[in-house]
Amino acid sequence: MKIAGVQIDVQLGEVDQNLQMIIKSLEETTAAGAHLTLFPECALSGYCFESRDEAAPFAQSIPGPATDQLTEACRRLDCFTVIGLLELEGNDVYNSAVLIGPEGVIGKYRKVHLPYLGVDRYTTPGNDPYQVFNAGGLRVGMQICYDASFPEATRCLTMLGADLVVLPTNWPPGAETTADYCINSRAVENGIYFMAVNRCGRERGFQFIGRSSICDPFGKTLAKAETRDVEILYAEIDVERARNKRYQRVPGKHEIDRLADRRPEMYIALTQPHGLSTPHAELKGK
């Protein structure tokens, strides 16, 4: 099947304008044969808010007005989409991503790892268990931006059966190496497709860097944005490649399976909260 990523220029606080741009782009990608289309982080609202009070009026419930309109578009176009938005629940504002199809909202994800940047300085950290969702036969896991810097998150989604992990982002200057190397690494180390879609344009002094990309289960780049401007990426994917974790490079002599070859009993340190792991002074050899 074909997937698409739309690198767009989001306008801060212009929810209706951004939504119409998203729907128009979705019409274009679906006409080109895309089964699923990914849009950037906070594509509905923009990102560089200076307080929770400033951001909250542009947050919506899920389901809500925007997801209702996107459901109608997905029903009309017979497609699936993932967009980033600010989600409002009670007094909490979350940086979220939502997967929508012809039947409505399929699932959502709340950003777990929050950097000290933009609206993430004021949002509530996500604490829902990782989940994988079915988008018309495609098993999709969601992350958001900074989450890609934590390989444990992608591994969790892989263990849950993801064929594709999508990463809506707002990469500013300084994130070039994340864009150029982390995405391919997350794909190859888990044997999955990985699609990261950044925004473009400028917002409150931040010039977003583009560099959206789609990678295959061997870490090969299938498509990459060539500019910092508006751009659409497409790639053909084969879910069976993502589901076959055993690679026979030389049958009987060189075979690997990055899931079966794991040693979870050796990873105890990963489960310790920050600051509670073995102090350097106590390490063997000191």
Side-chain angles (χ1 to χ4, degrees):
M1 61 183 68
K2 181 182 285 189
I3 59 175
V6 185
Q7 183 172 284
I8 56 175
D9 186 359
V10 177
Q11 301 303 305
L12 185 69
E14 298 294 339
V15 172
D16 291 339
Q17 178 181 333
N18 294 331
L19 180 58
Q20 293 311 307
M21 177 171 51
I22 289 167
I23 292 173
K24 183 177 179 181
S25 299
L26 190 59
E27 291 171 343
E28 180 176 349
T29 59
T30 304
H35 176 81
L36 179 142
T37 301
L38 173 63
F39 292 89
E41 175 182 17
C42 291
L44 198 62
S45 62
Y47 181 73
C48 294
F49 293 100
E50 293 295 341
S51 70
R52 182 205 170 281
D53 288 343
E54 184 188 23
F58 304 103
Q60 296 193 11
S61 62
I62 299 175
T67 61
D68 287 348
Q69 290 190 57
L70 286 164
T71 294
E72 176 55 35
C74 288
R75 183 179 299 119
R76 171 169 54 88
L77 299 168
D78 191 24
C79 67
F80 299 85
T81 189
V82 175
I83 72 159
L85 74 165
L86 292 179
E87 178 192 359
L88 184 65
E89 183 178 78
N91 292 321
D92 291 315
V93 174
Y94 296 93
N95 185 342
S96 297
V98 59
L99 170 63
I100 302 168
E103 303 303 318
V105 172
I106 298 170
K108 67 181 179 182
Y109 168 76
R110 292 168 171 172
K111 191 173 183 178
V112 168
H113 304 95
L114 301 180
Y116 191 78
L117 176 68
V119 74
D120 283 324
R121 294 172 292 171
Y122 315 108
T123 55
T124 300
N127 58 10
D128 295 330
Y130 286 107
Q131 291 181 271
V132 169
F133 302 96
N134 188 343
L138 178 64
R139 301 171 186 165
V140 179
M142 293 181 279
Q143 298 179 12
I144 300 173
C145 202
Y146 193 41
D147 289 321
S149 296
F150 300 84
E152 301 89 345
T154 308
R155 180 53 55 89
C156 286
L157 292 169
T158 301
M159 297 299 295
L160 290 169
D163 304 318
L164 166 71
V165 171
V166 295
L167 185 83
T169 81
N170 273 189
W171 283 324
E176 288 83 359
T177 53
T178 298
D180 292 344
Y181 302 110
C182 279
I183 306 312
N184 300 70
S185 296
R186 297 296 87 83
V188 70
E189 67 197 10
N190 292 288
I192 57 169
Y193 291 94
F194 202 114
M195 176 164 55
V197 172
N198 194 21
R199 62 161 293 177
C200 57
R202 180 178 292 274
E203 193 176 282
R204 287 187 169 169
F206 286 97
Q207 174 64 58
F208 294 94
I209 65 173
R211 280 179 153 89
S212 302
S213 67
I214 306 173
C215 298
D216 77 2
F218 300 114
K220 178 182 177 181
T221 300
L222 300 178
K224 191 173 183 71
E226 300 296 331
T227 71
R228 290 184 174 187
D229 300 323
V230 175
E231 195 167 339
I232 299 179
L233 307 182
Y234 294 99
E236 295 282 350
I237 67 172
D238 178 0
V239 297
E240 292 306 320
R241 287 184 67 187
R243 295 175 188 179
N244 176 23
K245 301 300 184 184
R246 187 166 188 83
Y247 304 146
Q248 292 185 321
R249 292 171 175 167
V250 181
K253 294 185 177 182
H254 185 191
E255 302 181 5
I256 61 172
D257 186 328
R258 290 191 177 92
L259 294 192
D261 295 341
R262 293 177 311 116
R263 296 282 307 282
E265 71 276 12
M266 302 301 295
Y267 312 150
I268 303 268
L270 293 178
T271 67
Q272 300 301 310
H274 179 63
L276 295 183
S277 56
T278 303
H280 293 292
E282 296 180 14
L283 295 178
K284 184 177 180 180
K286 298 183 181 179

